[in-house]
Amino acid sequence: MKIGVDIGGSHIAVGIIDENDNLIEQKQKDLTLDEKCKVSDILKNILIQMIEKILCEKNIEKKQIKKIGIAVPGRVDKYGNIYTVNLNLKNYPLKAEIEEYFKIPVQVRNDAKCASLAEKKYGNMQKYKDAVFLCLGTGIGSSVFIKNEMLSSNISEAFEIGHMIIKKDGIRCNCGKNGCFEKYAAMSVFKNNVEKLFNLKETSGEEILKIILKENKNETLQKIIDEYIDNLAIGIINMIEIFEPEAICIGGSFVYFKEIFLNKLEEKINKYPHFNPKVPEIVLAKMGNNAGIIGAVLE
Ligand SMILES: [Zn+2]
């Protein structure tokens, strides 16, 4: 058995995963604002408590656990130190801390990379050897598979496509650069623009979708949609030129808006000239919310 953990910007989920990578039990906890602000030791303690609790409730001994896999938002170096702006952590040695406590091997990875591994092994990327994964949500998480291997550098997991610059002197990103892809093509950007147009605040994805379907004659709204797709297509075209993937797999809350975006995105991508005569397929992720927790324990 393995333990999978998914640390989000506002919650932590811990699950028990069996030999066949099935999630057999899961517990979630929301992080309070206070916990999010001074998070390093608190994060470690919450994690330890949650893992202890789930093991105790299911009557599982620590020696039955082969591995703990942790998915985190942000960057992870090859030693399992994490750097995440959302949780206010800089080079925090999460792998070392949790390994020291449980004496079980710990693997720490970026959450989108975990989701992509689950999608590659069990989801809609299975049949492609070369594929790019983009998770469009609050930001843009990403990974690249070439010849079935997820690429990484000698320093960290790398391949942070969301922080590729697509506009000179563009919008300031919290990575410190201006004009990053995620400042134009993350789902949060689209959602904020729709909220601004209709004077809304903190609207759910479901409500946004309803508004878009109802207001389908609204020209400003159509412009927002077109601009979003234009920016997303620019990033994807760059990825196609660099990696020549067989598929681009898109996950995150984008999947929820597929009826509005998908055809337009495919049309846009097809209009660009391509060196490769076979334009990659655009596929949607199917593993959903548990992709991170399951992907966290995969090799
Ligand atoms: Zn950036």
Side-chain angles (χ1 to χ4, degrees), residues 41-249:
D41 280 350
I42 293 178
L43 175 71
K44 177 182 131 190
N45 293 336
I46 294 174
L47 253 183
I48 289 172
Q49 276 171 22
M50 286 180 78
I51 295 173
E52 291 276 19
K53 197 170 172 213
I54 204 167
L55 290 175
C56 177
E57 281 176 9
K58 296 298 283 180
N59 253 326
I60 297 169
E61 286 182 51
K62 275 179 211 153
K63 63 178 180 205
Q64 291 174 263
I65 301 297
K66 285 190 190 131
K67 180 203 262 184
I68 299 174
I70 308 176
V72 296
R75 215 177 168 93
V76 182
D77 72 14
K78 66 174 173 179
Y79 305 108
N81 301 319
I82 64 174
Y83 180 99
T84 155
V85 181
N86 286 350
L87 292 169
N88 202 15
L89 294 173
K90 246 185 198 175
N91 291 326
Y92 178 67
L94 185 64
K95 173 180 155 71
E97 295 272 11
I98 302 297
E99 235 162 37
E100 162 78 24
Y101 181 89
F102 285 104
K103 315 282 187 225
I104 296 170
V106 172
Q107 168 177 294
V108 182
R109 275 205 192 105
N110 166 271
D111 50 8
K113 284 174 171 86
C114 291
S116 74
L117 285 165
E119 208 58 49
K120 182 79 176 72
K121 191 160 184 193
Y122 297 111
N124 283 341
M125 282 200 293
Q126 281 179 76
K127 63 173 179 173
Y128 306 107
K129 288 190 177 75
D130 302 334
V132 171
F133 179 80
L134 294 174
C135 179
L136 308 181
T138 315
I140 295 183
S142 53
S143 70
V144 178
F145 290 83
I146 297 291
K147 296 176 185 165
N148 285 328
E149 291 288 326
M150 185 170 77
L151 301 183
S152 63
S153 80
N154 194 34
I155 299 167
S156 74
E157 296 175 300
F159 296 91
E160 286 296 333
I161 294 165
H163 296 285
M164 144 183 90
I165 295 172
I166 64 160
K167 200 168 186 90
K168 180 175 175 277
D169 300 328
I171 302 168
R172 183 84 172 168
C173 178
N174 61 16
C175 75
K177 299 195 294 289
N178 289 68
C180 288
F181 182 39
E182 76 169 25
K183 297 311 279 181
Y184 297 87
M187 278 306 297
S188 58
V189 175
F190 173 74
K191 199 171 155 248
N192 287 344
N193 287 337
V194 175
E195 282 179 338
K196 243 188 251 168
L197 175 65
F198 295 107
N199 265 324
L200 302 164
K201 260 190 189 135
E202 294 187 19
T203 326
S204 70
E206 199 180 353
E207 285 169 87
I208 297 264
L209 185 61
K210 266 189 201 160
I211 293 166
I212 296 171
L213 294 173
K214 197 174 122 213
E215 298 278 345
N216 64 358
K217 299 270 177 323
N218 184 316
E219 279 181 22
T220 318
L221 177 61
Q222 290 312 313
K223 258 190 205 160
I224 290 174
I225 295 172
D226 288 344
E227 193 169 311
Y228 177 75
I229 294 298
D230 282 351
N231 288 324
L232 180 56
I234 289 173
I236 290 177
I237 289 294
N238 289 339
M239 291 308 102
I240 293 173
E241 295 298 3
I242 296 170
F243 298 110
E244 289 198 347
E246 297 160 271
I248 304 280
C249 180

